[in-house]
Amino acid sequence: QEQLVQSGGGLVEPGGSLRLSCAASGFSLSRYSVAWFRQAPGQEREGISCISREDDTTHYIDSVKGRFIITRDHAKNTVYLQMNSLKPEDTAIYYCAADSIGLITLIPDLYDHWGLGTQVTVSS
């Protein structure tokens, strides 16, 4: 089966860091654009970052720019989200998603492979 397997996440204090992993199983992630989304309680799913299939060009929304870094390890068939200087408002369930079209986009409907999500909680 073609799946995205997520790991990482957890509880951290404000200002701390976490690294999320998104590993593809059953297909080559290098041919896909990959994005990270998050959903906080009572809110809609929000796209926060993506990396292209062509040349690993990256995009970030303003609220995470300068704090979060998305990277790809082609050999490990994995995309990462390094999260630094975490804030309480970053608390959410984080999802990775893969898109075979290859556009740099944070539109959820354009992604066809989804991870199950991992909880990130930022609290003192």
Side-chain angles (χ1 to χ4, degrees), residues 7-91:
S7 61
L11 173 64
V12 297
E13 294 185 351
S17 298
L18 285 173
R19 189 180 74 163
L20 306 182
S21 297
C22 178
S25 177
F27 69 102
S28 176
L29 199 57
S30 293
R31 199 169 179 268
Y32 290 73
S33 295
V34 179
W36 288 94
F37 297 83
R38 66 186 180 187
Q39 187 168 17
Q43 299 185 14
E44 294 184 346
R45 182 173 49 192
E46 175 190 33
I48 57 174
S49 183
C50 59
I51 186 167
S52 73
R53 63 182 287 187
E54 300 294 327
D55 56 2
D56 286 343
T57 299
T58 58
H59 172 72
Y60 306 88
I61 61 172
D62 288 341
S63 62
V64 307
K65 191 175 299 181
R67 300 189 299 121
F68 291 10
I69 303 171
I70 186 171
T71 57
R72 186 197 299 267
D73 188 329
H74 292 276
K76 294 183 178 180
N77 209 25
T78 300
V79 168
Y80 303 94
L81 183 67
Q82 178 67 44
M83 303 184 295
N84 301 315
S85 301
L86 283 163
K87 305 174 181 179
E89 53 262 43
D90 294 319
T91 296

Side-chain angles (χ1 to χ4, degrees), residues 4-9 20-22 36-39 92-97 114-120:
L4 294 179
V5 181
Q6 297 186 220
S7 61
L20 306 182
S21 297
C22 178
W36 288 94
F37 297 83
R38 66 186 180 187
Q39 187 168 17
I93 299 175
Y94 284 70
Y95 302 88
C96 64
W114 288 84
L116 295 178
T118 186
Q119 178 70 47
V120 172

